[in-house]
Amino acid sequence: MNRIIWCFLGLFLLFWACSDREISQDLDPDDVGNDWDIVIGSSKDRPGIGNAEGQPLGETFSLPDGIELVTRPFKSFDPDLGLLYGSLNTFYADLSFVNRGDTTIQLEIPSGLICLFRHEGKTQNGILTSAVRIAIPPTYGGVSPMADTTTIYLGLGCLNYSMAFPWEENQETDTRDYPIGKNMYMPSVITSDVNIRKLLDLLKDYPKLRLTRHYNPQDTFEPDYELPEWQKIYVLIQDALWDITDGHGLTRKDYRTLLEALKNYK
């Protein structure tokens, strides 16, 4: 009987050790170790991430004095690549700003800004994976005619794997060929999630990830579709993000695969 008890105890301790290893957030990905060790932990149970209810946690995003965020629901999507910012393109969110001063203001939008879906329904939230800097000229500068409101597009990663893409129902001529969630998102907080921040810290040293072209998400439904070479790095980054937001975390093997793929984006 004692041998049976010790056997069960040993199995329990082995299971506990493996489980603890799986969720560890302190493993060094550069160490020699098992490919399946989790080197960045899972955040799928944190509010607003994955399938978890609630609002994501973090520091509230605030605008500098004189800058106001406005909505432009009837403005057509503008595919000018000079208006596209960010380093991940799972989808885009449009943001429109009014500058009530009389000089151009340089707006810093930090890495980790979460944009929340503003309407009803189970549609994914997004996160900015690199800091961006946007010049916002005066809207009311005493010039005639009045300068236009500044509208830009943020390329975002997805925080909720099983929720809908905002571009799925795009039918208008200006949006149907682009991954834009027009008039669907509002900035909220700068994430404080330790696991997501580890991934963002990894990505910050690769300026060539900056978005320089569009893709048509509808192409993926074609029977002979093949992922373009230039898109592969963004899919790899999104998959790593989903491992953290909806999975068990990022393994050492996948971390190293991502690190190797990023070498060309220094």
Side-chain angles (χ1 to χ4, degrees):
M1 180 63 70
N2 285 341
R3 292 183 64 185
I4 294 175
I5 293 173
W6 280 109
C7 181
F8 275 112
L9 180 60
L11 289 173
F12 171 78
L13 290 174
L14 178 62
F15 174 78
W16 177 85
C18 291
S19 298
D20 184 63
R21 190 177 191 180
E22 179 180 344
I23 65 174
S24 173
Q25 299 174 11
D26 298 319
L27 294 178
D28 185 345
D30 295 323
D31 284 349
V32 176
N34 192 309
D35 281 350
W36 308 112
D37 286 340
I38 299 298
V39 296
I40 300 182
S42 172
S43 296
K44 64 182 180 179
D45 297 323
R46 310 280 170 81
I49 295 175
N51 284 319
E53 298 292 333
Q55 299 294 315
L57 302 178
E59 178 186 352
T60 301
F61 174 66
S62 58
L63 294 170
D65 292 343
I67 298 294
E68 179 184 348
L69 187 69
V70 298
T71 59
R72 304 180 79 183
F74 304 111
K75 177 176 172 52
S76 296
F77 171 69
D78 187 342
D80 180 353
L81 287 166
L83 302 175
L84 180 62
Y85 295 84
S87 59
L88 190 54
N89 59 359
T90 307
F91 67 97
Y92 309 156
D94 55 328
L95 297 181
S96 296
F97 302 97
V98 167
N99 178 356
R100 300 193 178 280
D102 55 8
T103 60
T104 297
I105 294 178
Q106 299 293 330
L107 174 63
E108 301 274 358
I109 303 182
S111 172
L113 174 70
I114 293 177
C115 291
L116 297 178
F117 186 68
R118 66 164 77 233
H119 306 297
E120 295 294 328
K122 290 287 188 179
T123 297
Q124 60 192 236
N125 296 318
I127 188 167
L128 183 68
T129 54
S130 62
V132 300
R133 184 181 178 90
I134 301 162
I136 305 178
T139 304
Y140 308 96
V143 296
S144 182
M146 183 182 74
D148 196 7
T149 299
T150 300
T151 296
I152 58 95
Y153 305 96
L154 292 182
L156 304 174
C158 169
L159 292 174
N160 319 89
Y161 174 82
S162 62
M163 296 186 186
F165 290 104
W167 44 257
E168 288 182 3
E169 303 301 324
N170 282 354
Q171 298 296 326
E172 296 82 3
T173 55
D174 65 316
T175 63
R176 65 189 178 194
D177 296 329
Y178 300 95
I180 175 69
K182 189 171 74 173
N183 194 40
M184 294 183 187
Y185 288 89
M186 59 182 179
S188 61
V189 299
I190 304 158
T191 185
S192 59
D193 183 85
V194 293
N195 298 317
I196 295 175
R197 293 235 63 99
K198 286 180 182 179
L199 180 62
L200 299 183
D201 286 344
L202 170 64
L203 299 176
K204 69 183 180 182
D205 295 325
Y206 299 92
K208 290 183 181 179
L209 289 173
R210 167 78 160 84
L211 301 176
T212 59
R213 62 177 84 183
H214 296 296
Y215 75 98
N216 185 342
Q218 306 305 328
D219 288 345
T220 62
F221 300 110
E222 297 296 328
D224 58 347
Y225 174 77
E226 290 187 12
L227 185 68
E229 189 66 31
W230 73 271
Q231 264 284 85
K232 290 181 179 179
I233 187 63
Y234 300 113
V235 171
L236 198 61
I237 293 170
Q238 180 60 74
D239 285 345
L241 181 57
W242 276 333
D243 284 341
I244 295 168
T245 62
D246 291 76
H248 295 294
L250 190 64
T251 66
R252 176 177 279 112
K253 177 182 179 181
D254 289 340
Y255 181 98
R256 288 175 172 167
T257 298
L258 176 58
L259 203 60
E260 181 65 26
L262 283 170
K263 287 181 177 179
N264 294 326
Y265 297 89
K266 278 284 189 182

